[in-house]
Amino acid sequence: MRSVSAAVFQAGNALAARVPARVRHGASRAGGDAVYYLAPGLRRQALENYAGILHQPAGSARVRRVARESLVGYAKLMTEFVLLPTLTAEQILAMVDWVGWDNIAHAVEAGRGAIVVTPHFGNWDLAAAAAVARGLPLTAVTEHFGDEAMNQRVVAARERLGMKVVPLGVSAGKAVLNALRRGEVVALVCDLPPKEGRAIPVRVCGQATRVPAGPALLALRTGAPVVPITCLRRPDNRYRLEVQAPIEFSPGSDQDADVARLSQAIMDRFEPILSAVPEQWYLYSPMWASPGAAAPAQSGRRPVEDDALVAGSR
């Protein structure tokens, strides 16, 4: 029997394609505002996280505004997620303006594949769909979403867009290694403290946190370049999809230290845009090692802990 959430997701696919964009965006704003006011636990966590980025008290007007706008943005992201499987490649590409496409094209042409990394920022599913629409062979590692029926719907939706979906788990490592050996692109999110597997202490926006070790481990094991991307929502609800140059990294003799240094280098690439547009960085679970009012920004490194190869998105 189909779950309620799976049935709602299917209905949403059909409805989203028929609803004008301005109506979807208006409903998203109303929905995001409602969540902000009606979900006190989620609101408290969001305020704590954005206070850390902004280095202001959680009760400040700016932190409250950013937390509220983030929920509106996330509501827009979810409506677009159910819309994406109904769109053609041409319609998907019309939603984005590419910056730095040659960076990923040249990386793939080198024959070692590429490890694309992104934070939970803007619209990472749209970024993957747009890459596939431009002809990139892409494998995405994803976490389980909802109950089994719902997860199957989500996986099928992503696969209809043309990407290969690998569930986060013991088999993911082999799948992504094989994809890179074929010269393909592997997409990983890289920013949130992992629920399981190896975690690396880093500093982001002056705060101590932990991120998945997978991207760094995979790059060091395969020699594939790490290519950071962001998909920034613009005021007109189109996107600026920026592909940065691959991270230059020379490994040393200590793998643990290399994983720590490369993980920090990845987050350093993202810090400017995460600091500049924090409302598009979607943070609703515990993020900082020392929650509360933010400490002054500083840089630093931490040693390796835990163990695993990859970590995925939602």
Side-chain angles (χ1 to χ4, degrees):
M1 181 180 294
R2 290 188 306 167
S3 69
V4 173
S5 56
V8 170
F9 182 75
Q10 183 178 22
N13 289 151
L15 181 62
R18 294 172 172 81
V19 173
R22 59 181 176 78
V23 176
R24 290 198 310 272
H25 296 146
S28 296
R29 174 157 292 280
D33 284 345
V35 170
Y36 180 81
Y37 289 112
L38 298 177
L42 185 149
R43 181 175 67 247
R44 282 193 298 271
Q45 187 62 66
L47 291 171
E48 178 182 290
N49 289 340
Y50 293 114
I53 300 172
L54 298 169
H55 304 285
Q56 294 186 8
S60 71
R62 187 181 179 202
V63 171
R64 293 199 309 271
R65 179 187 64 78
V66 167
R68 181 176 170 184
E69 284 301 310
S70 78
L71 286 164
V72 171
Y74 192 75
K76 289 182 178 181
L77 180 151
M78 293 306 295
T79 62
E80 289 166 350
F81 180 66
V82 299
L83 174 68
L84 277 176
T86 72
L87 302 180
T88 65
E90 292 74 17
Q91 289 172 318
I92 289 170
L93 290 174
M95 296 173 68
V96 303
D97 295 318
W98 286 87
V99 179
W101 169 260
D102 287 348
N103 287 322
I104 186 66
H106 292 161
V108 172
E109 288 168 4
R112 292 180 299 170
I115 302 165
V116 165
V117 291
T118 182
H120 288 82
F121 178 90
N123 191 329
W124 53 98
D125 271 302
L126 176 60
V132 171
R134 286 198 66 163
L136 281 184
L138 186 142
T139 296
V141 180
T142 64
E143 289 183 346
H144 197 280
F145 192 98
D147 60 29
E148 188 55 38
M150 179 63 178
N151 187 63
Q152 290 177 5
R153 291 281 181 188
V154 171
V155 169
R158 285 169 166 157
E159 289 179 337
R160 280 199 299 274
L161 295 169
M163 67 186 78
K164 297 174 185 176
V165 177
V166 175
L168 181 62
V170 293
S171 63
K174 182 178 179 180
V176 297
L177 286 171
N178 288 337
L180 291 173
R181 291 187 184 116
R182 294 192 299 267
E184 298 176 359
V185 174
V186 170
L188 301 172
V189 293
C190 62
D191 58 328
L192 302 185
K195 297 175 183 176
E196 58 185 66
R198 189 172 185 175
I200 302 299
V202 296
R203 296 195 76 86
V204 187
C205 301
Q207 299 293 342
T209 187
R210 294 158 65 86
V211 298
L217 280 169
L218 192 59
L220 292 167
R221 181 172 297 185
T222 64
V226 177
V227 182
I229 70 164
T230 52
C231 193
L232 170 73
R233 183 187 294 275
R234 289 175 158 167
D236 63 357
N237 290 302
R238 296 181 70 256
Y239 287 87
R240 182 181 191 271
L241 206 173
E242 180 178 5
V243 184
Q244 297 186 27
I247 294 173
E248 295 185 6
F249 186 82
S250 298
S253 59
D254 184 334
Q255 186 191 58
D256 282 357
D258 288 341
V259 172
R261 288 192 298 117
L262 183 51
S263 296
Q264 184 66 59
I266 290 169
M267 296 312 299
D268 287 346
R269 282 291 193 93
F270 292 123
E271 183 167 320
I273 195 167
L274 299 178
S275 299
V277 196
E279 62 270 23
Q280 292 197 37
W281 190 15
Y282 302 121
L283 304 176
Y284 308 121
S285 57
M287 184 71 184
W288 309 125
S290 299
Q298 54 184 305
S299 62
R301 301 293 184 268
R302 295 292 186 274
V304 173
E305 303 173 13
D306 305 288
D307 199 14
L309 182 61
V310 293
S313 62
R314 277 199 314 269

